[in-house]
Amino acid sequence: DAKTTQPPSMDCAEGRAANLPCNHSTISGNEYVYWYRQIHSQGPQYIIHGLKNNETNEMASLIITEDRKSSTLILPHATLRDTAVYYCIVRVEGWETSGSRLTFGEGTQLTVNP
Amino acid sequence: NAGVTQTPKFRILKIGQSMTLQCAQDMNHNYMYWYRQDPGMGLKLIYYSVGAGITDKGEVPNGYNVSRSTTEDFPLRLELAAPSQTSVYFCASSYSKQAYGYTFGSGTRLTVV
């Protein structure tokens, strides 16, 4: 799976858009970009994923650059409840052989301030 | 629906003791996983299962054992607990091999003293 690089922490004002970057310069053609988040002391929660087109759902938008070497998760109107660690994960859509399944790095700690 | 249920939520063990962390899901998911998370770190995969009767090792399996006798349950066994196993343990399940749609439990915080 491709390695990802995320800033360790970010701050955002409540009501403003939070833009979380992720670099994945070694991404392969069949690898997707997934985003999960982990609110303090809880299990991770799936947010969104995409291959090359931009994606949007009720939680967030995912913008993937044309060369697919980086992406940005956008929370359009951040609230205090969005304070969490956000994980960017790059991997193939499924898996067929043994080895690492969904793996989580250290992510970005997003703090939404009132 | 309960989703993924983990018990207990907290536990303190003495070095050398054993215990079983329970995990149950009611979504009829074939795939189940155990992760551990040390303070300030990401999650590391301990064991996973692709269905009843089938389990396999993840990144950090040493010191742990699992079984999967039913689709619903995936217990994690710690034998001879060590301080290095102090961590938060998360169980997860998924319907398919897809990397989205994992459902996680609320975790078990284990301290070994």
Side-chain angles (χ1 to χ4, degrees), chain B residues 35-46:
Chain B
Y35 289 87
R36 61 174 286 174
Q37 185 174 33
D38 298 333
M41 307 295 286
L43 283 75
K44 294 184 178 180
L45 183 66
I46 306 171

Side-chain angles (χ1 to χ4, degrees), chain A residues 1-2 8 12 25 38 48 52 57 60 66-67 69-70 76 79 81 90 104 113:
Chain A
D1 298 337
C12 177
S25 59
Q38 186 177 22
I48 198 168
K52 45 183 149 179
N57 63 20
E66 192 169 343
D67 63 6
K69 294 183 185 298
S70 65
T79 70
R81 288 174 293 181
V90 172
F104 296 79
N113 300 304

